[in-house]
Amino acid sequence: MQLAAIFDRPSTNTVAIAIACTAIGWALHWWFECSTRSERADPHGEQRPEPVEGQTIEPPAVVGLITNEFTAPQSAVTATSLDLAARGWIRLTSTDGELVVVTRGNPAGGDSLLPFEQQVLNHLASRAFNDVSSASTLALSHHRLNRRWWLRFQRSVGEEAQARGLSTARYTPLELAPPAALAAIALLAWWFAGRNGDEIALSESWQSRTVWVLTLGAIAGLGWVTALRFMGGAQRPTDLGRDRQNAWMGFRQRLRERIPSDASVLAPPPQQRALSQACVMGVATQVLAEFPAAPEHPRLAWSEAGGVPHLVRIRYPFRPGYGQHPMKVGAVGLVVFFAARWLQGYLERIGDGEALTSLLDRVPGQVELIQDIADILALICWLPIVWAAWAVIAGVVDSIATRVRIGSVVRARRPADVLPPLLVNVVKPFAERDRFSTYLAVDDGNRRTVWAWLANERGAAPQGAQARVRATPLLGYVRSSEPVGTGTRPDAE
């Protein structure tokens, strides 16, 4: 079926209804995100929590869920693997300095596996040859843990937490139905707006056509995030879950003090259990590198900045000019602005019949088509014009403004490792160069979300370091970074 809005102007009233429904749907989406968010824990005690009456001690994955804002972290896969080793389901050994995993073990009689534990064991076994795998093999197989695998794992861990009375589903039908219904209504209104379009020239209706297309993107995004919430395993705490969270976070401090930085997974079972509980709470992170059963989460990290252990979310901005020197971005922005503006004016003259008249006279039957194409290209020119204007403003502001942050480098990632899959193929050829950029996420303990800055080789810092980083506020260009002690000190400037 052809939509009239492809050729004609969409109906204004129904587009307005679609926009209103989409805006309300997104507002409800963020409202439910904030209203159901788990509060930070209030740790108490340093002793290992005793099991709840009538239950066994929580598995490491469940410990990870209740201490990671009631969402099962990726580190729970490594923790579960280590717990399986402590229980005899798999064996860990070393050959030529590399960790070797033997997937045929000898568990104790009567010991059974929970669904998510069986899922992890199946993953380890699928990577083994003759029941033997290695750390390098597991690291290379991270791509097999796709979105579907993670959703199934998180739902399974969440179901175990619910069975223990520690949590309930974070998003109930009350939080899921309104955004879904509004997205459906908006999509229906969008469809009628295109079907009942008016025959108006492109040059006189490009604004409403652009809004019509952008509205479809917003509706699709709302439907996608709502579907992810429905399929996900996010939880919200019960009173018992809150008490267990506080108890485990208190025990985290003891683990942090007692586990050495060189602790290995090749240890007796009691120590393996302690390491499995520690690594899901951001302690003994060397375990994740030694036993890479799952990748480290690039957008969620533990931080000790500010003296209180907490989780931070990391965002990696990607836009033209981000991480570049402000003066360079400003100069390029000026050139692009004037070039795009000249090209747009020339295309508009073609659309009005004031340019390329000799060519148009030779093809009298194609004049309207050529003019329509010129009008479309003139509209597209607004994209580089808007970016160029932003680049000039950002270049001027960042040339004189600098933000200084002293804190912990919670994540250091190459752009090709964190960009959306569609952009990876574009960035990957550049990532193979020696002098490429690295995202630095620096947390000072004052925020729940950290926007990563983009540093070159000279301004980069290793993950886990305490550093003073100077960066620009808009373009995220790292001017300099220098290591500092574990405690912060006043800036010299």
Side-chain angles (χ1 to χ4, degrees), residues 186-217:
L187 183 62
L188 188 62
W190 177 89
W191 183 80
F192 276 111
R195 185 177 177 84
N196 301 321
D198 301 323
E199 295 185 3
I200 297 179
L202 175 64
S203 59
E204 299 177 4
S205 62
W206 64 268
Q207 299 95 334
S208 58
R209 295 170 193 255
T210 303
V211 171
W212 183 75
V213 173
L214 294 177
T215 302
L216 177 61

